[in-house]
Amino acid sequence: MPGLLHPLHDGHAPIILHNAFQDAIDALEDWELGNDEPVIDVNDRQVAISAVFRRLWTCTDILPSRTLDVVEDLLPLRSAEFKVGTSTYADAAYSLWQLCLQKRAAGYEMRQ
């Protein structure tokens, strides 16, 4: 069995990682400031959503348009950089990971 999150193969992710990415985006949308970072189920294990985004930093698979729409909503300042049919998981993953770090830091400051 592979590690917690499957590796990429020549820049391509297995479908389980595509599904995990979508689940992570959904959890990121629902993440309320001040709460801990959400986790999702992948292979019957709990995985922090930032780990899913990090795994897909180099994924060259094209984002589905429905996923791209949500990414643009989450990253409005970068939405002009994303294009239907050419934007990849990697294009979105790093920025979504950064958003997770920002939300974690803001939540930590709120609890102080």
Side-chain angles (χ1 to χ4, degrees):
M1 182 168 141
L4 191 55
L5 291 174
H6 294 273
L8 302 181
H9 300 284
D10 295 324
H12 300 289
I15 191 68
I16 195 165
L17 283 180
H18 288 187
N19 293 338
F21 188 86
Q22 186 62 51
D23 291 345
I25 287 174
D26 293 342
L28 181 56
E29 279 188 300
D30 296 337
W31 185 0
E32 294 183 19
L33 201 56
N35 290 341
D36 291 335
E37 179 179 346
V39 295
I40 59 169
D41 288 324
V42 180
N43 292 332
D44 297 323
R45 293 188 177 154
Q46 298 282 298
V47 179
I49 62 172
S50 60
V52 174
F53 298 136
R54 173 115 180 157
R55 171 64 77 187
L56 289 159
W57 274 5
T58 58
C59 180
T60 57
D61 297 331
I62 301 297
L63 279 173
S65 60
R66 63 179 163 65
T67 303
L68 185 59
D69 290 342
V70 178
V71 170
E72 289 175 331
D73 289 343
L74 287 168
L75 302 168
L77 297 178
R78 295 211 44 220
S79 65
E81 299 172 26
F82 299 113
K83 304 289 182 228
V84 173
T86 60
S87 291
T88 64
Y89 282 85
D91 292 334
Y94 184 75
S95 294
L96 292 170
W97 176 78
Q98 287 181 314
L99 182 56
C100 285
L101 295 184
Q102 292 168 1
K103 288 189 103 167
R104 272 196 310 214
Y108 175 77
E109 288 177 12
M110 286 180 66
R111 291 190 290 264
Q112 295 303 315

